[in-house]
Amino acid sequence: MHAAFLRYFTVVARAGSIRAASEQLHVASSAISRQIQKVEDELGTPLFERLPGGLRLTQAGKTLLAHADRTLNDFEVLKGELGALRGEKTGTVSIASLDSLLVSFLPEQVSRYHKAHPKVDFRVRTGAHGTVATMVAEGEADLGITFSLARPEDTEFISPIPMPLMAMVSKDHPLAERASVTLADCAAYNLLLQLDTAPIRSLIEMELSVLNRTGRVLAASNNLMMLKPLILEGDGVAFYTPLGMVRELSEGSIVAVPLEGTRLGGLELGLLVPRRRKLTQAAEALVAQLSEGLEELRDAPWMRKFNELERA
């Protein structure tokens, strides 16, 4: 129903280059370039500034991007409503999430949803809190799963549950027997820190600097799969929510020790949804299911140690 140009244009606008968009869309760069040039000629104004480092939207381009986002979103809503007339959920739901949720929680939720609504497809991307929030605000994701931190005004944080960062150590680590620890306690050992997780990492580093304890950063990575083996070997202390360590916590090979005297222990996890943009029926149904799934996490066995500390 809508020209391929709208889809091409939105991908180019966010990728910042025709070549990058071509790789994402699996469409020849020349075809995308011709479409953009044709519309620029029809509108009588350039949509992009051609810079040495790529493309940047002009003011006209920014106006067109807002229109394209609304049009494509409305079309997805329409397809969902037509599917509802047939008594089924259809379409594609895009999710932005913290990477730790992809270890078990989100795959389990997607599988459960698929069994109930087999005609819905999913697109899942990971990122730090800021990336997740931006993707939801700009319409690149229907919903996000992230922390209760600063977020754009046109997004809403719903279904929050306590989900603190804890000190993750091997079962044989000296801190494993502690009921709780401080960041200063952790800094006495090698640290295993996450990259690209602002503002979480900056909070850790700021609080350690106030304590005049920085600790040796043995390894830093933006991938949980890199740091988890180092935790298991007892090589250092990492800071994660329990979500990425459910199997290891259940079997006892990794121990989650609550953090005290830090803002990191008071984090909440929840869903980030657009405040003004209408979601498709498929996305709304997933939001409802994920809300229930988060509530189930509140009483998970691996949260018992933190809940006991809170009650004390």
Side-chain angles (χ1 to χ4, degrees), residues 30-103:
S30 57
I32 297 173
S33 183
R34 282 196 302 271
Q35 287 275 0
I36 292 174
Q37 186 63 58
K38 177 182 177 181
V39 173
E40 286 183 324
D41 291 342
E42 291 178 357
L43 296 176
T45 185
L47 301 174
F48 294 98
E49 295 179 54
R50 275 70 173 176
L51 304 172
L55 301 178
R56 183 170 64 192
L57 287 170
T58 62
Q59 189 56 50
K62 293 177 182 177
T63 301
L64 180 56
L65 180 60
H67 163 77
D69 284 339
R70 288 194 302 269
T71 301
L72 295 174
N73 183 73
D74 288 347
F75 185 50
E76 289 300 315
V77 172
L78 170 64
K79 289 195 294 184
E81 291 174 346
L82 294 177
L85 293 176
R86 301 190 298 271
E88 58 189 14
K89 297 284 191 301
T90 60
T92 300
V93 180
S94 56
I95 307 167
S97 173
L98 303 173
D99 73 335
S100 59
L101 287 127
L102 271 65
V103 175

Side-chain angles (χ1 to χ4, degrees), residues 147 162-166 168 240-242 264-268 303 306:
F147 293 123
M163 190 56 63
L165 257 67
M166 299 185 182
M168 297 291 172
Y240 282 96
T241 71
L264 301 172
L267 292 176
E268 290 183 315
M303 283 294 291
F306 172 75

Side-chain angles (χ1 to χ4, degrees), residues 139-150:
E140 294 183 70
D142 295 311
L143 61 109
I145 313 178
T146 187
F147 293 123
S148 54
L149 298 168

Side-chain angles (χ1 to χ4, degrees), residues 54-280:
L55 301 178
R56 183 170 64 192
L57 287 170
T58 62
Q59 189 56 50
K62 293 177 182 177
T63 301
L64 180 56
L65 180 60
H67 163 77
D69 284 339
R70 288 194 302 269
T71 301
L72 295 174
N73 183 73
D74 288 347
F75 185 50
E76 289 300 315
V77 172
L78 170 64
K79 289 195 294 184
E81 291 174 346
L82 294 177
L85 293 176
R86 301 190 298 271
E88 58 189 14
K89 297 284 191 301
T90 60
T92 300
V93 180
S94 56
I95 307 167
S97 173
L98 303 173
D99 73 335
S100 59
L101 287 127
L102 271 65
V103 175
S104 59
F105 176 76
L106 201 47
E108 291 169 0
Q109 290 294 322
V110 168
S111 178
R112 173 182 163 192
Y113 187 98
H114 173 67
K115 289 179 174 61
H117 310 294
K119 294 192 175 182
V120 175
D121 300 323
F122 296 87
R123 301 293 181 268
V124 182
R125 284 183 283 181
T126 64
H129 167 77
T131 302
V132 171
T134 298
M135 290 175 65
V136 175
E138 295 185 354
E140 294 183 70
D142 295 311
L143 61 109
I145 313 178
T146 187
F147 293 123
S148 54
L149 298 168
R151 59 188 181 275
E153 290 184 359
D154 52 353
T155 61
E156 182 179 4
F157 188 72
I158 63 173
S159 304
I161 63 167
M163 190 56 63
L165 257 67
M166 299 185 182
M168 297 291 172
V169 297
S170 73
K171 61 182 177 60
D172 299 319
H173 194 279
L175 296 179
E177 299 300 320
R178 298 279 295 272
S180 64
V181 292
T182 65
L183 282 178
D185 295 330
C186 298
Y189 302 91
N190 290 336
L191 299 179
L192 306 170
L193 297 184
Q194 302 176 61
L195 288 173
D196 306 327
T197 56
I200 299 300
R201 181 173 176 178
S202 61
L203 284 173
I204 293 173
E205 293 176 338
M206 180 180 66
E207 293 188 20
L208 285 173
S209 66
V210 170
L211 297 168
N212 293 319
R213 298 291 297 276
T214 56
R216 176 195 174 194
V217 180
L218 171 63
S221 174
N222 64 350
N223 193 311
L224 173 62
M225 295 300 103
M226 169 64 199
L227 298 182
K228 188 183 289 188
L230 298 176
I231 302 172
L232 286 165
E233 286 296 321
D235 292 327
V237 182
F239 304 99
Y240 282 96
T241 71
L243 286 171
M245 315 278 180
V246 173
R247 180 174 63 83
E248 292 80 7
L249 292 173
S250 298
E251 66 187 19
S253 56
I254 288 179
V255 177
V257 186
L259 290 168
E260 58 176 299
T262 172
R263 291 173 57 192
L264 301 172
L267 292 176
E268 290 183 315
L269 182 77
L271 304 178
L272 199 63
V273 296
R275 189 183 294 276
R276 301 179 182 88
R277 189 175 71 251
K278 183 177 181 181
L279 292 178
T280 64

